[in-house]
Amino acid sequence: MAVIAVNIIVFAVMSIFGNTLDAQYMAGHGAMYPPYVAENGQYWRLFTSMFMHFGLMHILNNMVMLGAVGRIVEIAMGHVRFLIAYIVAGICGGALSYVVMLHNNDYAVSAGASGAIFGMVGALVWIVIVNRGFYEGISRQQVIFMVILMIYYGVSTSGVDNWDHLGGLAGGFIISIVLYRKKRYNKNIILE
């Protein structure tokens, strides 16, 4: 998937020129930080932050999840619709995180693809629903368990932006309602 390649390239370049574990460095190069967005109108950070990661383990975990879930969603939707869903979900995740941080007056530098990845899980939920509870070996129960497991991991792990995850999950589900259509097969075609 091209999205994985872009994330890896961004991480490699960021790592060459600085420390990706340094919040100030990350905020200085496009990570989401509410004061920069609110005071300076830098809303583009909701986009750029989804391609940035805090250290090797962060990008490794996210790319493994993206490879597993994203591949299925990309096959179901096609490349262009997958990319649209990925970006919309990532921006929804960043936007919810931004709004909650502003509301709570509790700011942190936020970056990572996990909002968009949760969005792909939300998309997968819709795909399974449309396909009557089963798609490409994934059942309704399995996708629900996946959502619960991912939410549990986020809640039980420190330093995780759970609002970003929730916004991405909802955004991915909603945009998939618009973008995904079950493939129809012509019953009159006979393959020999």
Side-chain angles (χ1 to χ4, degrees), residues 9-177:
I9 290 167
V10 169
F11 179 75
V13 170
M14 294 287 296
S15 297
I16 289 168
F17 293 105
N19 181 3
T20 59
L21 293 172
D22 179 3
Q24 189 172 6
Y25 171 71
M26 295 291 279
H29 290 85
M32 201 280 289
Y33 185 58
Y36 292 176
V37 177
E39 296 165 16
N40 302 328
Q42 297 176 358
Y43 293 98
W44 50 266
R45 290 175 177 274
L46 300 176
F47 175 79
T48 56
S49 64
M50 77 174 105
F51 295 97
M52 301 174 69
H53 290 85
F54 288 105
L56 185 61
M57 290 310 296
H58 188 206
I59 190 166
L60 181 62
N61 290 336
N62 277 348
M63 293 307 101
V64 167
M65 284 303 300
L66 180 56
V69 177
R71 181 187 63 80
I72 299 166
V73 174
E74 188 171 18
I75 289 168
M77 289 186 153
H79 304 303
V80 173
R81 289 180 180 177
F82 165 80
L83 183 60
I84 292 168
Y86 181 88
I87 291 171
V88 168
I91 290 172
C92 286
L96 182 59
S97 173
Y98 165 71
V99 168
V100 170
M101 282 192 224
L102 278 183
H103 181 278
N104 294 338
N105 203 27
D106 184 18
Y107 306 141
V109 177
S110 180
S114 56
I117 294 166
F118 266 77
M120 296 305 91
V121 173
L124 187 56
V125 169
W126 176 248
I127 291 165
V128 168
I129 289 169
V130 168
N131 288 280
R132 297 183 181 178
F134 195 80
Y135 182 80
E136 294 293 316
I138 299 173
S139 69
R140 180 179 315 140
Q141 293 82 2
Q142 288 171 315
V143 79
I144 290 169
F145 179 73
M146 183 187 307
V147 170
I148 292 168
L149 190 63
M150 289 178 73
I151 291 172
Y152 172 76
Y153 172 77
V155 171
S156 64
T157 306
S158 63
V160 173
D161 189 347
N162 290 301
W163 291 110
D164 180 58
H165 293 177
L166 185 61
L169 184 68
F173 181 82
I174 292 166
I175 193 65
S176 295
I177 293 171

